[in-house]
Amino acid sequence: MYKTIVIGYTPKANDLAQKIEEKANEMTQKGYTLITFSITGSAKSILVFETSKT
């Protein structure tokens, strides 16, 4: 099972990295693993998580 989350406009790299880390840690607590992410040209980030739960 997959879950996709978008992190909104965050133009500073350090701030975006912190938001990605916070969301990854939050989702880990829920049983998800971050498998990939992408940063768009509009300073947003798309995170894809996976879990073995059905």
Side-chain angles (χ1 to χ4, degrees):
M1 181 179 229
Y2 296 96
K3 175 87 173 160
T4 304
I5 295 174
V6 176
I7 295 177
Y9 178 74
T10 311
K12 294 185 178 180
N14 286 338
D15 294 341
L16 183 57
Q18 182 175 351
K19 286 184 179 183
I20 291 170
E21 184 176 325
E22 288 170 0
K23 184 55 76 173
N25 289 336
E26 174 187 330
M27 295 302 287
T28 297
Q29 294 294 319
K30 295 179 181 180
Y32 288 88
T33 301
L34 179 65
I35 57 172
T36 190
F37 70 93
S38 176
I39 300 173
T40 69
S42 59
K44 295 179 182 178
S45 184
I46 303 165
L47 287 67
V48 179
F49 295 90
E50 180 180 40
T51 185
S52 58
K53 296 178 184 178
T54 55

